[in-house]
Every structure is written in structure tokens, then in C-alpha cells.
Amino acid sequence: MRVHKLTIAALAVAAGLSLTACQGDSDNAGGQSTGSSNSSSSSNGGKDSGGTDTDGENTAVSGGGSDGASDGGSGSGKGSGTDSETAKCLTDHLEITAADGTVGGDQEETVVVGFKNAGAKDCLLTGYAGVDLKTNYGRVSAERTGQEADPVVLKSGEDVFFGVTYPKNDSGGSGVRVEGLVVTPPNETKSVTLDWPGKASLPVTEDGSGTPVRVGPIGSAGQGG
């Protein structure tokens, strides 16, 4: 059987990658999911944002984060503003969630990802998170929207949100099945894998044209959308 090209311009099929399989099928989930973390790479200055694979369950604040790279763009978030002595937010100290944030009438579907500071001290988020969709065809890395990303000081116990948009599958076909969402906080190398809370599939086309998956800067979405 001939494999059609994805309509997602940013599709990255990681042929040599061993994808861990514990994500569940999550056919469509309007609910919220949280995940556990492991070592991975954050986005760093390119158009795409990505991270390596980690399997997740439902709660995520785990141990052993390390430095990665991601650069700034814009947006605003809770506790916005900078402090030269504020440390970056580590994956270990963040509770990361994802929920369906699509509003009726939108041309694209939206998933809203949240970072909650579960640590005892304020921390700093700068730039874009790395976002990958795990699919049955491989990895789809989200492209950045290009907005500037102002630094956000996230106070202990507070949260901030950003959006991930993706095209609707109105093709009538089964499309590309989405099996999980991998999120890497800015400037981190440890990622968290979440259950996918959006629609079950992405559309495909013969020529690979279409709308890419995109990620906005930290603070670019409100709670739930």
C-alpha cells in the first residue's frame, strides 16, 4: 500500500527513533492530561520545536532536569517580568497539563498546554517550549508561530499557558493517528509525554501541502483556551 504524504509541513518521521509505546490511544479527549518526564531536547532557535521521546502517565513532577536550549520570542504570562536572580523553571518543578482548547467556529483545532510552578521558589520561563506530536507515522514537530516571547516569572503555585494549533481532519479519511504529546519546557532537556487531548487524527494530502502544527510562545493562551 502506498503511503500518502502528510499535510503537516513539519512532519519529522524519526525512523531511527524507538518510540515508547505506552501512550494509550486517546481517540479524542476533550479532557485534560498530565504526564511524567524524562530526558529530552528542547527547541533551540529553529522554526520547529521538538523533544525526544518519554513515556508519561497522569502526573508529572519528576527528578533530574538538565540544561537545554531555546530562544525567545514574545507573549505574556502570569507573573511576567524578569529578575536576574530568578532561576529557570526546571521540568522537575513543573506540573505540565494539556487540554482541548478549541472554540466553536475556529478554523484550526487547539490544545492548551499549562505549566504550573510546583516548586517552592519563583522561576523563569523564556521563549518557546518544544512540542512534538507522536503519531503512527512518526514524529510531527510543531513550528513556532514567530511571535516574540517575553520572559515570564512564574511564582510558586501559579501557572501559565500556551497554545498548540493543528489542522482539522475534514477529509473523510482516517488520517494520521495522534498517539501522544511530548512537551519540553524552554531551556530544558527533559521532556514530558502527555496523553493527547485533541482530535484523534491529522489530515493527509497527496502533495504534502496543508497547515502545519504550530506552537505559540509561553503565555500565548489563557486557561482552557
Side-chain angles (χ1 to χ4, degrees), residues 39-117:
S39 205
S40 104
S41 57
S42 176
S43 54
N44 51 2
K47 267 179 148 180
D48 296 343
S49 64
T52 26
D53 209 347
T54 63
D55 280 330
E57 301 181 354
N58 287 335
T59 22
V61 183
S62 58
S66 56
D67 290 344
S70 98
D71 58 356
S74 171
S76 60
K78 193 176 277 194
S80 155
T82 60
D83 181 341
S84 59
E85 296 183 358
T86 303
K88 73 174 184 180
C89 295
L90 300 176
T91 306
D92 298 353
H93 298 157
L94 292 172
E95 181 181 337
I96 303 175
T97 60
D100 183 13
T102 304
V103 177
D106 285 355
Q107 293 186 344
E108 295 179 322
E109 306 283 351
T110 301
V111 163
V112 175
V113 179
F115 289 155
K116 181 175 182 178
N117 184 358

Side-chain angles (χ1 to χ4, degrees), residues 24-43:
D25 284 338
S26 327
D27 279 352
N28 56 338
Q32 177 170 307
S33 64
T34 58
S36 66
S37 60
N38 199 357
S39 205
S40 104
S41 57
S42 176
S43 54

Side-chain angles (χ1 to χ4, degrees), residues 5-9 205-210:
K5 292 181 181 178
L6 289 185
T7 190
I8 308 304
T205 60
E206 291 287 343
D207 60 3
S209 63

Side-chain angles (χ1 to χ4, degrees), residues 82-220:
T82 60
D83 181 341
S84 59
E85 296 183 358
T86 303
K88 73 174 184 180
C89 295
L90 300 176
T91 306
D92 298 353
H93 298 157
L94 292 172
E95 181 181 337
I96 303 175
T97 60
D100 183 13
T102 304
V103 177
D106 285 355
Q107 293 186 344
E108 295 179 322
E109 306 283 351
T110 301
V111 163
V112 175
V113 179
F115 289 155
K116 181 175 182 178
N117 184 358
K121 297 181 180 180
D122 298 352
C123 64
L124 182 66
L125 290 166
T126 306
Y128 285 72
V131 172
D132 290 308
L133 273 60
K134 294 170 66 176
T135 80
N136 59 328
Y137 276 72
R139 186 69 63 92
V140 175
S141 293
E143 294 183 3
R144 299 179 182 189
T145 60
Q147 296 170 265
E148 289 185 28
D150 295 330
V152 174
V153 174
L154 193 59
K155 296 184 179 301
S156 178
E158 291 189 343
D159 42 27
V160 68
F161 301 89
F162 63 91
V164 177
T165 59
Y166 61 99
K168 295 181 178 180
N169 184 9
D170 295 328
S171 65
S174 59
V176 176
R177 185 180 183 82
V178 184
E179 300 174 340
L181 176 66
V182 183
V183 179
T184 311
N187 299 305
E188 261 287 40
T189 56
K190 175 176 283 188
S191 66
V192 168
T193 300
L194 307 170
D195 290 336
W196 173 246
K199 294 297 188 294
S201 63
L202 303 173
V204 296
T205 60
E206 291 287 343
D207 60 3
S209 63
T211 304
V213 178
R214 294 190 178 97
V215 55
I218 302 298
S220 61

